[in-house]
């Protein structure tokens, strides 16, 4: 691991430990120190990105995709946490970001190819990465919403604790993320259809079909929300299913080839 990657990983882990310890001890957190350290880790994380390997699709490795996606997730999640003071999900995000950096360092950078990529395809790849990041955030918020619902229904004392964010605030963020995911996924699919003729080819057909299925699930959540006021477990389950479909679309074949069969 490079020095910058090692330092970013260390800071991510240190911040995560600080949050977890403070939570279980019910202590106040020094938000100034916390977010200052977190944003240093994010900056170092950004310097570790291999943009050439990400933009040239034929040479993208699962480790590079993971580093890029969790960089986006860490940025967005940290910004939201800084604005809302809701830091409960940060340890999950930061630990996975640290693991992605470690995986990238262990597997090494793949050789990039000098391939001409159209602007439409770059838009498709960028929108796909942002879509997956938004859907992962939506899943995390869906799980958090389910946990808050549980402690409220069972009248647990932790429900009154300052660590637990307001239910309606979490729900509002969740549906905004779902709407954002639909918009990004629509851009990704449309730009893919416009810029490529191989979306239904043998090696990419499953990715296209799974992405379209995820779009249908996310869209169904929005329709059910506004037409039938759907909430609770159904929203959580549907959000996780849609994210799982995107995970299979983006990482399924790569995970088998690069990790299990390597």
């Amino acid at each position: 691991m490079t020095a910058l990657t090692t330092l970013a990983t260390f800071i991510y882990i240190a911040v995560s430990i600080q949050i977890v310890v403070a939570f279980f001890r019910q202590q106040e957190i020094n938000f100034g120190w916390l977010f200052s350290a977190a944003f240093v880790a994010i900056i170092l994380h950004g310097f570790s990105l291999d943009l050439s390997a990400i933009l040239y699709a034929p040479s993208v490795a699962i480790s590079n995709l993971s580093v890029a996606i969790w960089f986006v997730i860490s940025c967005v999640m940290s910004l939201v946490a800084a604005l809302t003071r809701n830091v409960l999900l940060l340890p999950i995000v930061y630990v996975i970001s640290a693991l992605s950096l470690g995986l990238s360092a262990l597997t090494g950078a793949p050789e990039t190819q000098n391939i001409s990529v159209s602007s439409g395809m770059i838009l498709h790849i960028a929108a796909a990465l942002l879509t997956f990041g938004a859907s992962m955030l939506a899943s995390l918020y869906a799980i958090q919403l389910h946990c808050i619902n549980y402690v409220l229904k069972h009248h647990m004392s932790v429900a009154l604790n300052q660590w637990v964010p307001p239910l309606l605030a979490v729900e509002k963020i969740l549906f905004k993320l779902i709407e954002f995911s639909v918009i990004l996924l629509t851009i990704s699919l449309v730009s893919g259809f416009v810029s490529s003729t191989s979306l239904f080819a043998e090696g990419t057909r499953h990715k296209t079909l799974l992405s379209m299925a995820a779009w249908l699930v996310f869209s169904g959540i929005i329709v059910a929300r506004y037409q039938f006021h759907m909430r609770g477990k159904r929203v959580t389950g549907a959000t996780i299913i849609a994210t799982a479909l995107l995970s299979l679309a983006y990482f399924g074949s790569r995970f088998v080839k690069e990790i299990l069969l390597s």
Side-chain angles (χ1 to χ4, degrees):
M1 297 176 71
T2 65
L4 293 180
T5 302
T6 302
L7 183 57
T9 302
F10 173 79
I11 296 175
Y12 274 140
I13 298 298
V15 172
S16 300
I17 292 174
Q18 171 69 16
I19 295 173
V20 172
V21 171
F23 172 75
F24 282 106
R25 293 181 177 178
Q26 299 296 292
Q27 295 175 339
E28 294 283 344
I29 280 188
N30 185 333
F31 288 109
W33 176 90
L34 178 76
F35 289 114
S36 295
F39 285 121
V40 169
I42 290 171
I43 292 172
L44 296 175
H45 189 162
F47 281 125
S48 71
L49 293 176
D50 188 348
L51 294 179
S52 61
I54 294 169
L55 291 178
Y56 295 120
S59 61
V60 178
I62 189 173
S63 57
N64 283 326
L65 280 175
S66 178
V67 170
I69 288 171
W70 285 101
F71 170 73
V72 173
I73 293 175
S74 294
C75 288
V76 176
M77 199 65 187
S78 298
L79 180 60
V80 173
L83 294 174
T84 63
R85 292 298 191 263
N86 177 11
V87 299
L88 282 178
L89 294 176
L90 289 184
I92 299 175
V93 173
Y94 290 165
V95 168
I96 298 178
S97 295
L99 290 175
S100 71
L101 287 170
L103 176 64
S104 177
L106 290 175
T107 55
E111 294 183 1
T112 56
Q113 304 174 24
N114 188 16
I115 299 173
S116 177
V117 180
S118 66
S119 57
M121 185 54 65
I122 292 177
L123 177 62
H124 169 69
I125 295 171
L129 290 174
L130 292 173
T131 300
F132 186 78
S135 67
M136 283 297 300
L137 284 172
S139 291
L140 290 173
Y141 272 97
I143 294 171
Q144 186 181 51
L145 183 66
H146 176 73
C147 292
I148 296 173
N149 263 320
Y150 182 85
V151 298
L152 289 174
K153 287 181 179 180
H154 290 79
H155 305 287
M156 295 181 178
S157 59
V158 70
L160 303 176
N161 192 281
Q162 61 177 342
W163 280 88
V164 179
L167 178 68
L168 293 179
V170 175
E171 186 178 64
K172 182 178 179 180
I173 294 174
L174 169 61
F175 282 103
K176 290 296 182 183
L177 286 169
I178 293 174
E179 292 171 357
F180 192 48
S181 297
V182 171
I183 294 172
L184 288 171
L185 187 51
T186 301
I187 295 173
S188 177
L189 289 171
V190 171
S191 60
F193 282 121
V194 171
S195 60
S196 176
T197 58
S198 60
L199 291 185
F200 287 99
E202 184 65 28
T204 58
R205 185 185 303 124
H206 71 285
K207 299 179 182 180
T208 304
L209 293 176
L210 288 170
S211 297
M212 293 174 67
W215 185 91
L216 289 174
V217 175
F218 276 135
S219 299
I221 295 173
I222 295 175
V223 172
R225 164 67 171 174
Y226 289 105
Q227 292 295 323
F228 308 106
H229 305 286
M230 185 176 75
R231 305 174 71 179
K233 293 181 180 179
R234 293 181 180 178
V235 173
T236 300
T239 303
I240 293 174
I241 289 173
T243 303
L245 290 171
L246 284 179
S247 299
L248 289 174
Y250 295 168
F251 294 108
S253 59
R254 281 195 176 97
F255 181 79
V256 172
K257 291 179 183 179
E258 298 179 21
I259 304 299
L260 298 183
L261 299 181
S262 61

